[in-house]
Amino acid sequence: MFKSLFILLTATALLVAPSVASDEHERRLQLVLGNLMDPFRPEEDVCENGKDADGVPQLGPCDLLKFPTCPTDHEFCFNRKPSRDEFFDDIHQPKFYIQYDRILCYPTGWACSSCTPGRYCSSEKRCIMEDREYECAQWL
């Protein structure tokens, strides 16, 4: 009897879990896309999803379920980090990526340095590491 009950509960959990995870993913996606302080670009932003045997970050799509849960009056600050291996062809600057443990929750309206080091160019939707002589129409 207990074995049957255990099997039934396990099967139910397997059926419900993806739906709950999917709902939570969708909720977080809406929060992240509504983040005005530090825009998240799901089609371009990548996250560190582990490291290889040499300690090189393995970059790929971001898992929103690994983002922290911010209070409703807070927004994400991603604190993107420069890559050592990937660069923009047009400007010869490093591409930036997100580490889950560097994502912070800041009160809405606070300033956020979303590129460390560097600065976020809103008009180009990317981080610029060497920003002193870089002409950006709108810095974040």
PDB file of all heavy atoms in Angstrom, residues 102-129:
ATOM      1  N   ARG A 102      26.649  37.098  -9.441  1.00  0.00           N
ATOM      2  CA  ARG A 102      26.925  38.542  -9.489  1.00  0.00           C
ATOM      3  C   ARG A 102      25.668  39.365  -9.751  1.00  0.00           C
ATOM      4  O   ARG A 102      25.715  40.586  -9.812  1.00  0.00           O
ATOM      5  CB  ARG A 102      27.958  38.842 -10.573  1.00  0.00           C
ATOM      6  CG  ARG A 102      29.338  38.301 -10.214  1.00  0.00           C
ATOM      7  CD  ARG A 102      30.315  38.500 -11.346  1.00  0.00           C
ATOM      8  NE  ARG A 102      30.446  39.907 -11.683  1.00  0.00           N
ATOM      9  CZ  ARG A 102      31.596  40.534 -11.841  1.00  0.00           C
ATOM     10  NH1 ARG A 102      32.720  39.881 -11.699  1.00  0.00           N
ATOM     11  NH2 ARG A 102      31.627  41.803 -12.169  1.00  0.00           N
ATOM     12  N   ILE A 103      24.524  38.702  -9.947  1.00  0.00           N
ATOM     13  CA  ILE A 103      23.262  39.413 -10.164  1.00  0.00           C
ATOM     14  C   ILE A 103      22.760  39.895  -8.805  1.00  0.00           C
ATOM     15  O   ILE A 103      22.588  39.100  -7.884  1.00  0.00           O
ATOM     16  CB  ILE A 103      22.202  38.509 -10.815  1.00  0.00           C
ATOM     17  CG1 ILE A 103      22.692  37.965 -12.155  1.00  0.00           C
ATOM     18  CG2 ILE A 103      20.892  39.279 -10.991  1.00  0.00           C
ATOM     19  CD1 ILE A 103      21.781  36.914 -12.760  1.00  0.00           C
ATOM     20  N   LEU A 104      22.557  41.198  -8.686  1.00  0.00           N
ATOM     21  CA  LEU A 104      22.095  41.784  -7.433  1.00  0.00           C
ATOM     22  C   LEU A 104      20.733  42.434  -7.621  1.00  0.00           C
ATOM     23  O   LEU A 104      20.352  42.784  -8.744  1.00  0.00           O
ATOM     24  CB  LEU A 104      23.100  42.824  -6.941  1.00  0.00           C
ATOM     25  CG  LEU A 104      24.532  42.333  -6.727  1.00  0.00           C
ATOM     26  CD1 LEU A 104      25.446  43.486  -6.359  1.00  0.00           C
ATOM     27  CD2 LEU A 104      24.571  41.248  -5.658  1.00  0.00           C
ATOM     28  N   CYS A 105      20.014  42.601  -6.539  1.00  0.00           N
ATOM     29  CA  CYS A 105      18.727  43.299  -6.545  1.00  0.00           C
ATOM     30  C   CYS A 105      18.945  44.695  -5.981  1.00  0.00           C
ATOM     31  O   CYS A 105      19.401  44.838  -4.845  1.00  0.00           O
ATOM     32  CB  CYS A 105      17.707  42.545  -5.690  1.00  0.00           C
ATOM     33  SG  CYS A 105      17.332  40.882  -6.286  1.00  0.00           S
ATOM     34  N   TYR A 106      18.667  45.720  -6.771  1.00  0.00           N
ATOM     35  CA  TYR A 106      18.801  47.110  -6.336  1.00  0.00           C
ATOM     36  C   TYR A 106      17.416  47.743  -6.275  1.00  0.00           C
ATOM     37  O   TYR A 106      16.576  47.452  -7.128  1.00  0.00           O
ATOM     38  CB  TYR A 106      19.640  47.900  -7.341  1.00  0.00           C
ATOM     39  CG  TYR A 106      21.141  47.749  -7.218  1.00  0.00           C
ATOM     40  CD1 TYR A 106      21.718  46.565  -6.777  1.00  0.00           C
ATOM     41  CD2 TYR A 106      21.976  48.782  -7.569  1.00  0.00           C
ATOM     42  CE1 TYR A 106      23.096  46.437  -6.686  1.00  0.00           C
ATOM     43  CE2 TYR A 106      23.353  48.658  -7.484  1.00  0.00           C
ATOM     44  CZ  TYR A 106      23.901  47.484  -7.037  1.00  0.00           C
ATOM     45  OH  TYR A 106      25.261  47.365  -6.939  1.00  0.00           O
ATOM     46  N   PRO A 107      17.208  48.640  -5.317  1.00  0.00           N
ATOM     47  CA  PRO A 107      15.920  49.346  -5.289  1.00  0.00           C
ATOM     48  C   PRO A 107      15.686  50.071  -6.618  1.00  0.00           C
ATOM     49  O   PRO A 107      16.619  50.631  -7.198  1.00  0.00           O
ATOM     50  CB  PRO A 107      16.083  50.349  -4.146  1.00  0.00           C
ATOM     51  CG  PRO A 107      17.130  49.747  -3.262  1.00  0.00           C
ATOM     52  CD  PRO A 107      18.065  49.040  -4.196  1.00  0.00           C
ATOM     53  N   THR A 108      14.461  50.051  -7.093  1.00  0.00           N
ATOM     54  CA  THR A 108      14.117  50.705  -8.347  1.00  0.00           C
ATOM     55  C   THR A 108      14.545  52.174  -8.300  1.00  0.00           C
ATOM     56  O   THR A 108      14.275  52.868  -7.335  1.00  0.00           O
ATOM     57  CB  THR A 108      12.597  50.604  -8.600  1.00  0.00           C
ATOM     58  OG1 THR A 108      12.251  49.223  -8.620  1.00  0.00           O
ATOM     59  CG2 THR A 108      12.204  51.246  -9.916  1.00  0.00           C
ATOM     60  N   GLY A 109      15.224  52.608  -9.339  1.00  0.00           N
ATOM     61  CA  GLY A 109      15.683  53.987  -9.413  1.00  0.00           C
ATOM     62  C   GLY A 109      17.139  54.178  -9.016  1.00  0.00           C
ATOM     63  O   GLY A 109      17.716  55.214  -9.297  1.00  0.00           O
ATOM     64  N   TRP A 110      17.737  53.199  -8.363  1.00  0.00           N
ATOM     65  CA  TRP A 110      19.151  53.305  -8.006  1.00  0.00           C
ATOM     66  C   TRP A 110      20.001  53.127  -9.256  1.00  0.00           C
ATOM     67  O   TRP A 110      19.620  52.438 -10.200  1.00  0.00           O
ATOM     68  CB  TRP A 110      19.528  52.234  -6.997  1.00  0.00           C
ATOM     69  CG  TRP A 110      19.185  52.572  -5.586  1.00  0.00           C
ATOM     70  CD1 TRP A 110      18.160  53.351  -5.146  1.00  0.00           C
ATOM     71  CD2 TRP A 110      19.871  52.119  -4.421  1.00  0.00           C
ATOM     72  NE1 TRP A 110      18.156  53.395  -3.786  1.00  0.00           N
ATOM     73  CE2 TRP A 110      19.197  52.660  -3.309  1.00  0.00           C
ATOM     74  CE3 TRP A 110      20.969  51.312  -4.204  1.00  0.00           C
ATOM     75  CZ2 TRP A 110      19.602  52.418  -2.012  1.00  0.00           C
ATOM     76  CZ3 TRP A 110      21.370  51.076  -2.908  1.00  0.00           C
ATOM     77  CH2 TRP A 110      20.693  51.627  -1.823  1.00  0.00           C
ATOM     78  N   ALA A 111      21.171  53.699  -9.231  1.00  0.00           N
ATOM     79  CA  ALA A 111      22.098  53.526 -10.344  1.00  0.00           C
ATOM     80  C   ALA A 111      22.742  52.145 -10.241  1.00  0.00           C
ATOM     81  O   ALA A 111      23.024  51.655  -9.155  1.00  0.00           O
ATOM     82  CB  ALA A 111      23.166  54.602 -10.307  1.00  0.00           C
ATOM     83  N   CYS A 112      22.939  51.540 -11.380  1.00  0.00           N
ATOM     84  CA  CYS A 112      23.514  50.199 -11.432  1.00  0.00           C
ATOM     85  C   CYS A 112      24.649  50.195 -12.435  1.00  0.00           C
ATOM     86  O   CYS A 112      24.479  50.622 -13.572  1.00  0.00           O
ATOM     87  CB  CYS A 112      22.424  49.215 -11.858  1.00  0.00           C
ATOM     88  SG  CYS A 112      23.018  47.616 -12.393  1.00  0.00           S
ATOM     89  N   SER A 113      25.811  49.726 -12.034  1.00  0.00           N
ATOM     90  CA  SER A 113      26.919  49.563 -12.966  1.00  0.00           C
ATOM     91  C   SER A 113      26.801  48.162 -13.536  1.00  0.00           C
ATOM     92  O   SER A 113      27.227  47.186 -12.931  1.00  0.00           O
ATOM     93  CB  SER A 113      28.251  49.730 -12.233  1.00  0.00           C
ATOM     94  OG  SER A 113      29.307  49.484 -13.127  1.00  0.00           O
ATOM     95  N   SER A 114      26.173  48.045 -14.687  1.00  0.00           N
ATOM     96  CA  SER A 114      25.863  46.735 -15.226  1.00  0.00           C
ATOM     97  C   SER A 114      27.021  46.068 -15.956  1.00  0.00           C
ATOM     98  O   SER A 114      26.899  44.939 -16.401  1.00  0.00           O
ATOM     99  CB  SER A 114      24.653  46.825 -16.146  1.00  0.00           C
ATOM    100  OG  SER A 114      24.929  47.708 -17.205  1.00  0.00           O
ATOM    101  N   CYS A 115      28.130  46.756 -16.092  1.00  0.00           N
ATOM    102  CA  CYS A 115      29.301  46.190 -16.749  1.00  0.00           C
ATOM    103  C   CYS A 115      30.502  46.455 -15.838  1.00  0.00           C
ATOM    104  O   CYS A 115      30.819  47.605 -15.578  1.00  0.00           O
ATOM    105  CB  CYS A 115      29.545  46.858 -18.091  1.00  0.00           C
ATOM    106  SG  CYS A 115      28.084  47.027 -19.112  1.00  0.00           S
ATOM    107  N   THR A 116      31.144  45.408 -15.368  1.00  0.00           N
ATOM    108  CA  THR A 116      32.260  45.614 -14.440  1.00  0.00           C
ATOM    109  C   THR A 116      33.498  44.875 -14.930  1.00  0.00           C
ATOM    110  O   THR A 116      33.498  43.659 -14.910  1.00  0.00           O
ATOM    111  CB  THR A 116      31.895  45.134 -13.023  1.00  0.00           C
ATOM    112  OG1 THR A 116      31.403  43.818 -13.093  1.00  0.00           O
ATOM    113  CG2 THR A 116      30.860  46.014 -12.379  1.00  0.00           C
ATOM    114  N   PRO A 117      34.543  45.564 -15.384  1.00  0.00           N
ATOM    115  CA  PRO A 117      34.606  47.003 -15.576  1.00  0.00           C
ATOM    116  C   PRO A 117      33.919  47.388 -16.880  1.00  0.00           C
ATOM    117  O   PRO A 117      33.597  46.525 -17.689  1.00  0.00           O
ATOM    118  CB  PRO A 117      36.102  47.273 -15.656  1.00  0.00           C
ATOM    119  CG  PRO A 117      36.649  46.027 -16.277  1.00  0.00           C
ATOM    120  CD  PRO A 117      35.784  44.905 -15.753  1.00  0.00           C
ATOM    121  N   GLY A 118      33.741  48.649 -17.083  1.00  0.00           N
ATOM    122  CA  GLY A 118      33.130  49.132 -18.310  1.00  0.00           C
ATOM    123  C   GLY A 118      31.846  49.880 -18.039  1.00  0.00           C
ATOM    124  O   GLY A 118      31.516  50.192 -16.898  1.00  0.00           O
ATOM    125  N   ARG A 119      31.130  50.136 -19.121  1.00  0.00           N
ATOM    126  CA  ARG A 119      29.911  50.928 -19.038  1.00  0.00           C
ATOM    127  C   ARG A 119      28.930  50.436 -20.081  1.00  0.00           C
ATOM    128  O   ARG A 119      29.329  50.014 -21.169  1.00  0.00           O
ATOM    129  CB  ARG A 119      30.291  52.384 -19.291  1.00  0.00           C
ATOM    130  CG  ARG A 119      29.312  53.373 -18.824  1.00  0.00           C
ATOM    131  CD  ARG A 119      29.948  54.745 -18.838  1.00  0.00           C
ATOM    132  NE  ARG A 119      28.934  55.746 -18.570  1.00  0.00           N
ATOM    133  CZ  ARG A 119      29.098  57.026 -18.772  1.00  0.00           C
ATOM    134  NH1 ARG A 119      30.235  57.486 -19.222  1.00  0.00           N
ATOM    135  NH2 ARG A 119      28.124  57.861 -18.497  1.00  0.00           N
ATOM    136  N   TYR A 120      27.636  50.518 -19.758  1.00  0.00           N
ATOM    137  CA  TYR A 120      26.604  50.036 -20.674  1.00  0.00           C
ATOM    138  C   TYR A 120      26.171  51.162 -21.613  1.00  0.00           C
ATOM    139  O   TYR A 120      25.747  52.223 -21.173  1.00  0.00           O
ATOM    140  CB  TYR A 120      25.395  49.523 -19.885  1.00  0.00           C
ATOM    141  CG  TYR A 120      24.399  48.786 -20.737  1.00  0.00           C
ATOM    142  CD1 TYR A 120      24.602  47.454 -21.064  1.00  0.00           C
ATOM    143  CD2 TYR A 120      23.267  49.412 -21.215  1.00  0.00           C
ATOM    144  CE1 TYR A 120      23.705  46.762 -21.837  1.00  0.00           C
ATOM    145  CE2 TYR A 120      22.359  48.731 -22.007  1.00  0.00           C
ATOM    146  CZ  TYR A 120      22.583  47.413 -22.315  1.00  0.00           C
ATOM    147  OH  TYR A 120      21.684  46.735 -23.103  1.00  0.00           O
ATOM    148  N   CYS A 121      26.300  50.900 -22.906  1.00  0.00           N
ATOM    149  CA  CYS A 121      25.864  51.850 -23.927  1.00  0.00           C
ATOM    150  C   CYS A 121      24.442  51.465 -24.311  1.00  0.00           C
ATOM    151  O   CYS A 121      24.231  50.470 -25.015  1.00  0.00           O
ATOM    152  CB  CYS A 121      26.802  51.795 -25.133  1.00  0.00           C
ATOM    153  SG  CYS A 121      26.331  52.919 -26.460  1.00  0.00           S
ATOM    154  N   SER A 122      23.465  52.242 -23.845  1.00  0.00           N
ATOM    155  CA  SER A 122      22.053  51.924 -24.087  1.00  0.00           C
ATOM    156  C   SER A 122      21.701  51.969 -25.566  1.00  0.00           C
ATOM    157  O   SER A 122      20.938  51.134 -26.052  1.00  0.00           O
ATOM    158  CB  SER A 122      21.141  52.907 -23.341  1.00  0.00           C
ATOM    159  OG  SER A 122      21.293  52.755 -21.972  1.00  0.00           O
ATOM    160  N   SER A 123      22.234  52.942 -26.279  1.00  0.00           N
ATOM    161  CA  SER A 123      21.888  53.079 -27.693  1.00  0.00           C
ATOM    162  C   SER A 123      22.372  51.899 -28.526  1.00  0.00           C
ATOM    163  O   SER A 123      21.780  51.579 -29.549  1.00  0.00           O
ATOM    164  CB  SER A 123      22.427  54.398 -28.245  1.00  0.00           C
ATOM    165  OG  SER A 123      23.814  54.506 -27.994  1.00  0.00           O
ATOM    166  N   GLU A 124      23.434  51.227 -28.096  1.00  0.00           N
ATOM    167  CA  GLU A 124      23.958  50.072 -28.828  1.00  0.00           C
ATOM    168  C   GLU A 124      23.621  48.749 -28.151  1.00  0.00           C
ATOM    169  O   GLU A 124      23.945  47.686 -28.678  1.00  0.00           O
ATOM    170  CB  GLU A 124      25.471  50.208 -29.006  1.00  0.00           C
ATOM    171  CG  GLU A 124      25.840  51.399 -29.856  1.00  0.00           C
ATOM    172  CD  GLU A 124      27.333  51.482 -30.099  1.00  0.00           C
ATOM    173  OE1 GLU A 124      28.022  50.441 -30.058  1.00  0.00           O
ATOM    174  OE2 GLU A 124      27.803  52.605 -30.343  1.00  0.00           O
ATOM    175  N   LYS A 125      23.038  48.822 -26.958  1.00  0.00           N
ATOM    176  CA  LYS A 125      22.623  47.644 -26.197  1.00  0.00           C
ATOM    177  C   LYS A 125      23.778  46.676 -25.939  1.00  0.00           C
ATOM    178  O   LYS A 125      23.669  45.476 -26.150  1.00  0.00           O
ATOM    179  CB  LYS A 125      21.468  46.923 -26.894  1.00  0.00           C
ATOM    180  CG  LYS A 125      20.250  47.785 -27.054  1.00  0.00           C
ATOM    181  CD  LYS A 125      19.135  47.059 -27.736  1.00  0.00           C
ATOM    182  CE  LYS A 125      17.950  47.993 -27.876  1.00  0.00           C
ATOM    183  NZ  LYS A 125      16.911  47.465 -28.701  1.00  0.00           N
ATOM    184  N   ARG A 126      24.899  47.242 -25.474  1.00  0.00           N
ATOM    185  CA  ARG A 126      26.045  46.406 -25.137  1.00  0.00           C
ATOM    186  C   ARG A 126      26.989  47.137 -24.188  1.00  0.00           C
ATOM    187  O   ARG A 126      26.976  48.360 -24.092  1.00  0.00           O
ATOM    188  CB  ARG A 126      26.787  45.944 -26.376  1.00  0.00           C
ATOM    189  CG  ARG A 126      27.335  47.056 -27.246  1.00  0.00           C
ATOM    190  CD  ARG A 126      27.983  46.474 -28.484  1.00  0.00           C
ATOM    191  NE  ARG A 126      28.282  47.495 -29.475  1.00  0.00           N
ATOM    192  CZ  ARG A 126      28.683  47.223 -30.685  1.00  0.00           C
ATOM    193  NH1 ARG A 126      28.835  45.983 -31.072  1.00  0.00           N
ATOM    194  NH2 ARG A 126      28.944  48.185 -31.543  1.00  0.00           N
ATOM    195  N   CYS A 127      27.804  46.343 -23.528  1.00  0.00           N
ATOM    196  CA  CYS A 127      28.810  46.885 -22.622  1.00  0.00           C
ATOM    197  C   CYS A 127      30.043  47.303 -23.417  1.00  0.00           C
ATOM    198  O   CYS A 127      30.426  46.631 -24.377  1.00  0.00           O
ATOM    199  CB  CYS A 127      29.230  45.829 -21.589  1.00  0.00           C
ATOM    200  SG  CYS A 127      27.945  45.422 -20.388  1.00  0.00           S
ATOM    201  N   ILE A 128      30.639  48.395 -22.987  1.00  0.00           N
ATOM    202  CA  ILE A 128      31.867  48.892 -23.602  1.00  0.00           C
ATOM    203  C   ILE A 128      32.921  48.952 -22.502  1.00  0.00           C
ATOM    204  O   ILE A 128      32.739  49.630 -21.495  1.00  0.00           O
ATOM    205  CB  ILE A 128      31.670  50.304 -24.210  1.00  0.00           C
ATOM    206  CG1 ILE A 128      30.492  50.327 -25.194  1.00  0.00           C
ATOM    207  CG2 ILE A 128      32.951  50.805 -24.847  1.00  0.00           C
ATOM    208  CD1 ILE A 128      30.676  49.436 -26.410  1.00  0.00           C
ATOM    209  N   MET A 129      34.010  48.227 -22.692  1.00  0.00           N
ATOM    210  CA  MET A 129      35.035  48.178 -21.660  1.00  0.00           C
ATOM    211  C   MET A 129      35.890  49.443 -21.661  1.00  0.00           C
ATOM    212  O   MET A 129      36.105  50.057 -20.636  1.00  0.00           O
ATOM    213  CB  MET A 129      35.918  46.946 -21.832  1.00  0.00           C
ATOM    214  CG  MET A 129      36.846  46.733 -20.668  1.00  0.00           C
ATOM    215  SD  MET A 129      37.346  45.024 -20.639  1.00  0.00           S
ATOM    216  CE  MET A 129      38.836  45.127 -19.749  1.00  0.00           C
TER     217      MET A 129
END
